[in-house]
Amino acid sequence: MKKELPKKYNHLDIEKKWTSFWKENKVYDWDSTRPREETFVVDTPPPTVSGSLHVGHVFSYTHTDLIVRYQRMKGKNIFYPMGWDDNGLPTERRVQNYYRIRCDPKVPYKSDWEPEHDPKDKKEIEHVSRQNFIEACNKLTHKDEEVFKELWSQLALSVDWSLEYATIDKHSRKISQASFLDLVKKGHAFSTESPTMWDIDFQSAIAQAELEDKELDGAYHDIQFKVADSEKTFEISTTRPELLAACIAVVAHPDDERYQPLFGKEAITPIFNMKVPILPADHAEPDKGTGILMVCTFGDIMDVEWWKQSTLPIRQIIGRNGRLLPVTFGEAPFDSLDNEKANKAYKEIEGLYPKQARKKMPEVLGASLIGEIRPTRHPVKFFEKGDRPLEFIPTRQWFVRVMNHKERLIELGKQVTWHPEHMYSRFENWVNGLNQEWCYSRQRFFGVPFPVWYPVKDDGETDYENPIFAKEEDLPVDPLAEAPDSYDESQRDIPGGFTGDPDVMDTWSTSSMTPQIVSHWGINTERHKQLFPMDLRPQGHDIIRTWAFTTIVKSMHHEDSIPWHNICLSGWILDPDRKKMSKSKGNTVTPGHLLEEYSSDGVRYWSARARLGTDTAFDDQVFKVGRKLVTKLFNASRFVLQQFERLEVDPNSYLKNSASEEIDKSFLEELEKVVTFAGKSYENFDYAAALQQTEDLFWDFCDHYLELVKVRAYEDEESPERESALSTLAISLNVFLRLLAPVLPYVTEEVWSCSFGTENNSIHKNNWPTSEEFSNQSKPLEEGLFEVAKKMMSDIRGAKTSAQKSLKWPVEKLEVKASESFINKAKMVESDILRAANCSSSIEPTSLKNSEAIEIVVTLAKENS
RNA sequence: GGGCGCUUAGCUCAGUUGGUAGAGCAUUAGCCUUACAAGCUAAGGGUCAGUGGUUCGAGCCCACUAGCGCCCACCA
């Protein structure tokens, strides 16, 4: 005999019990011996380990778990790993603040150094070696990961923890570096020195995918240029006058009649007196500003593009730290007609940041500034995590080719099924808008290094043309700590020796390989084949251009394949003001107290109500509804199981029975419909629709069906009527538990273990209900009997309520005025209705011809007998 | 400037292939009823953003308009 359910449902104790049960019994483990067709593979997003998780994480990770739990109950072998994204800038930033340290590659390594965190002590910032800094990163991320893992377990994410990885661990670094070497081998990666978008605070290159526009105040400065060997002048309207010294040309649209006579001539820049060519260029728009603009090295991406197809030299005046570089006019490429004057003017702005220099420019320009400065507001490109505008600075970087692969990327994007479908257009938009190759290198410390060294020529120059790549079997390598083959560590950074590539890879270089990291691409071919392409990539829609995009780029370059068959995009959590909840906005809610107050199942319910791609407002009310459903399910289960306990019979023995009473048959028919619908919905990743239908019928079950059959189930004598009720109760509870198991894993497991489950058999494996289970049930005489009974019950209750009587108050007379069809149906379920209504006389029908109207007249007894 | 989505009850949202507008919450009134007071029952509440079209019939299909949100864009 099973153990009885406790009187009250204490979610905290029960969650703890099942969390450890699932772990001990390896309920969620992947079986590597089962074939691909029986396996469902998830490319779990590795959460960024920087501080704490908020409800937004809980929300989207639950969505994946719902889908996974459905697939597992369908009998699928589940591959559901968890990774930690602990590589990259967010971690660096957090470590810098947490331990008050900075990485300085010039500082020597200290083996006995330990990072220390003291929230009160505002000690001076300590500069540590790269190795020490990486150790500090590892220490802090491990600490955070334990906290995350705890939360995921409590939330009942059914991941296989033996598949855990971190994007900075040895295995991930190896795969990242192998990916890079493969890209190089296939000609998809290359290094070059070229103007690159540069963040002056982080002092690193950044990629197009990391750009963000910010609206900034700016101002048009109208600057007068002279035409060489002529008295003519023209004006250029610019918001970046501080780049005047970097001007290499002025351009206007080829069709612009105002400037056509000047093409081919030279202009003379004011103040610095440099001769620059006047040329036609398609990107100049006649109706913007004065229609003629200066090309500076470099003000924006168009300057870069234009410069690339020109043969003009770069006049770089902004340095890596963002300040205006020292420049000497008179030395190429800064040729001036008046070096002395130019140098003097430049001294005024040298060493300043662009913003400061801009302020100073009116003074420097003097009479060359025409009219008033006109304020404007315009979008300026920023690194998404940066505080100051980007600059274009020529540096040596590694790039991955994407520009020549747009068509193929779009084809592959179309081969993936997007949920919801319309999110695909964001991917296509992004690919079509690509205007640069993927900048792959970063000038940072905590990341995956490039497995590359360069020879140092005898004159001390680095020979970038002949890179030395690591051997695949040696990966991962750190070129700053290890010497390449055929060299010795003593030859590092000396003429005739070698130097290590100092950069690390873009964080997406690793994240884009999550499928290959977990499939052990290149290491275990069998395993890779068994898992790739994967079934599902879940992620946020804000990182389609980064994570989804780069993952597709990699699988295209490596195997000309899609990485997964489906991609599911979760929406965002909005705060009550409808703003996206995010750490940077400081409006996050942490999930700990929610889980405690509303239970994990209650919080999961809240997540499950939101369809994919739909943003959801954070709303306490929905958590309450979730908790209420959990309590209801528990209590209804207790009631149903009590019927079997009372008779000392096993509810399992009723599951194969056929119901004989019409109301029972009708309810089972409704239940079968929901089973079919829910299965279809889950197949299409629409867990929310499945939940809604299930929940609706479950409340009908509690509010109406249970009330209708209660008395019949209570009967002391065995009878076909009682057997039919008991069978329907057993079947319904059994099916409801399984339908709700993905959303409410704890309470369903608890009830299951006390009812239908056998020893160590979790509800979460191999138990999804099917319509075949209903094949031995006979159809009710009419469809919709349950609906008719509901309508009758509702009206009877209404009559009692408006008479301010209790619901068990006896009914003397029950008249039904309705169509013949309605009356017929009511008659078919009459006995249950009369019992539930506490009515001793039979229904008095009045048949209305040609009328849809239904009137139920309830005459209550005078006395409560 | 290009693209996508949303607009249904006070709030949060459903609304399957077109067929009499739904749920929960909130509000109000009532009820200790042999599972449940962390409960139960019922009531009130809507020009489905607007305009036009297709149709016997439109919340749903089509066109246009407005507001909100998001994604993208070469931003002088």
Side-chain angles (χ1 to χ4, degrees), chain A residues 223-225 236 238 240-250 268-274 276 294-297 315 317 324 329 334 345-346 349 361 364-365 368-369:
Chain A
I223 301 175
Q224 190 176 58
F225 281 57
I236 280 180
T238 179
R240 296 206 65 180
E242 77 277 14
L243 292 178
L244 183 59
C247 181
I248 56 166
V250 297
I268 297 171
T269 66
I271 312 301
F272 300 108
N273 287 299
M274 294 189 290
V276 296
M294 52 177 187
V295 177
C296 303
T297 50
R315 290 182 177 135
I317 64 166
L324 266 65
F329 287 85
F334 293 92
Y346 190 79
I349 52 172
M361 280 311 284
V364 174
L365 286 165
S368 302
L369 183 65

Side-chain angles (χ1 to χ4, degrees), chain A residues 42-161:
Chain A
V42 184
D43 186 13
T44 318
T48 305
V49 187
S50 57
S52 52
L53 291 167
H54 61 76
V55 287
H57 295 102
V58 166
F59 182 71
S60 54
Y61 280 83
T62 300
H63 293 162
T64 308
D65 191 60
L66 296 167
I67 294 161
V68 164
R69 284 184 179 276
Y70 163 75
Q71 294 288 346
R72 186 182 291 110
M73 289 179 77
K74 289 282 283 182
K76 282 281 175 69
N77 175 30
I78 303 294
F79 185 88
Y80 185 17
M82 183 59 68
W84 310 112
D85 192 10
D86 43 15
N87 140 3
L89 213 43
T91 303
E92 277 191 27
R93 269 194 158 176
R94 179 162 152 73
V95 166
Q96 287 178 352
N97 295 332
Y98 192 82
Y99 296 123
R100 297 185 68 76
I101 56 174
R102 292 287 181 278
C103 179
D104 184 348
K106 289 191 276 295
V107 171
Y109 176 65
K110 289 187 208 159
S111 60
D112 58 345
W113 181 81
E114 272 290 315
E116 269 168 40
H117 170 64
D118 182 348
K120 283 184 217 115
D121 183 16
K122 286 280 168 206
K123 65 175 179 178
E124 218 168 286
I125 286 175
E126 188 182 351
H127 289 255
V128 302
S129 70
R130 171 159 155 170
Q131 190 57 38
N132 285 126
F133 187 80
I134 289 171
E135 284 171 12
C137 290
N138 280 324
K139 184 175 173 181
L140 186 60
T141 54
H142 279 130
K143 226 170 104 182
D144 289 342
E145 281 156 24
E146 285 309 306
V147 177
F148 279 32
K149 195 171 169 177
E150 187 70 22
L151 179 70
W152 285 158
S153 299
Q154 195 186 349
L155 188 64
L157 295 190
S158 57
V159 305
D160 178 350
W161 288 104

Side-chain angles (χ1 to χ4, degrees), chain A residues 484-658:
Chain A
D485 283 4
S486 77
Y487 282 92
D488 188 78
E489 189 57 43
S490 64
Q491 293 170 281
R492 183 180 292 277
D493 295 332
I494 57 168
F498 73 94
T499 188
D501 192 313
D503 293 346
V504 297
M505 297 180 197
D506 174 13
T507 171
W508 298 109
S509 72
T510 310
S511 304
S512 59
M513 294 298 285
T514 51
Q516 293 89 343
I517 287 171
V518 294
S519 75
H520 296 185
W521 170 72
I523 296 169
N524 182 339
T525 310
E526 274 311 300
R527 176 179 161 124
H528 180 67
K529 264 197 219 153
Q530 216 174 340
L531 299 170
F532 189 92
M534 302 189 150
D535 290 288
L536 174 64
R537 152 64 68 86
Q539 63 163 77
H541 55 71
D542 49 336
I543 52 173
I544 289 173
R545 69 173 180 174
T546 48
W547 198 30
F549 169 71
T550 56
T551 309
I552 294 173
V553 168
K554 286 295 190 75
S555 65
M556 172 185 74
H557 279 335
H558 292 313
E559 301 183 66
D560 194 30
S561 160
I562 50 170
W564 1 258
H565 299 290
N566 296 282
I567 180 166
C568 283
L569 291 313
S570 286
W572 285 333
I573 299 306
L574 308 175
D575 70 11
D577 295 333
R578 304 235 129 226
K579 292 273 182 300
K580 183 196 171 188
M581 199 174 273
S582 73
K583 259 176 60 184
S584 54
K585 289 198 177 67
N587 58 354
T588 56
V589 176
T590 49
H593 72 280
L594 295 172
L595 292 173
E596 215 157 282
E597 188 174 350
Y598 301 108
S599 82
S600 292
D601 285 344
V603 172
R604 290 172 63 95
Y605 170 86
W606 165 75
S607 306
R609 285 248 306 220
R611 286 169 15 267
L612 285 169
T614 314
D615 295 345
T616 297
F618 180 82
D619 184 0
D620 279 34
Q621 298 303 342
V622 183
F623 293 105
K624 282 189 195 157
V625 177
R627 186 176 58 187
K628 201 171 134 181
L629 177 64
V630 172
T631 307
K632 195 73 179 177
L633 180 58
F634 183 79
N635 284 324
S637 300
R638 228 160 54 82
F639 168 72
V640 170
L641 295 176
Q642 273 168 11
Q643 310 315 311
F644 298 95
E645 279 155 21
R646 187 170 61 87
L647 301 172
E648 294 181 355
V649 290
D650 183 351
N652 273 305
S653 62
Y654 285 81
L655 294 177
K656 293 263 178 340
N657 292 358
S658 315

Side-chain angles (χ1 to χ4, degrees), chain A residues 17-31 34 68-69 71-73 75-80 156-161 745 749 759-767:
Chain A
K17 176 173 84 179
W18 291 113
T19 302
S20 50
F21 173 89
W22 294 329
K23 197 172 158 194
E24 278 158 27
N25 290 276
K26 300 187 185 307
V27 171
Y28 304 137
D29 282 15
W30 172 58
D31 179 353
R34 287 176 65 187
V68 164
R69 284 184 179 276
Q71 294 288 346
R72 186 182 291 110
M73 289 179 77
K76 282 281 175 69
N77 175 30
I78 303 294
F79 185 88
Y80 185 17
L157 295 190
S158 57
V159 305
D160 178 350
W161 288 104
E749 187 80 302
E759 189 79 14
N760 288 347
N761 163 20
S762 169
I763 191 173
H764 300 299
K765 295 203 90 162
N766 283 312
N767 276 314

Side-chain angles (χ1 to χ4, degrees), chain A residues 73 633-634 637 641 671 694 698 730-757 763-764 767-769:
Chain A
M73 289 179 77
L633 180 58
F634 183 79
S637 300
L641 295 176
L671 187 58
T694 306
F698 175 69
I731 293 165
S732 302
L733 178 63
N734 177 283
V735 169
F736 277 125
L737 286 172
R738 291 183 287 151
L739 287 173
L740 291 169
V743 181
L744 313 173
Y746 286 114
V747 67
T748 51
E749 187 80 302
E750 173 71 10
V751 174
W752 187 258
S753 75
C754 296
S755 53
F756 306 103
I763 191 173
H764 300 299
N767 276 314
W768 188 255

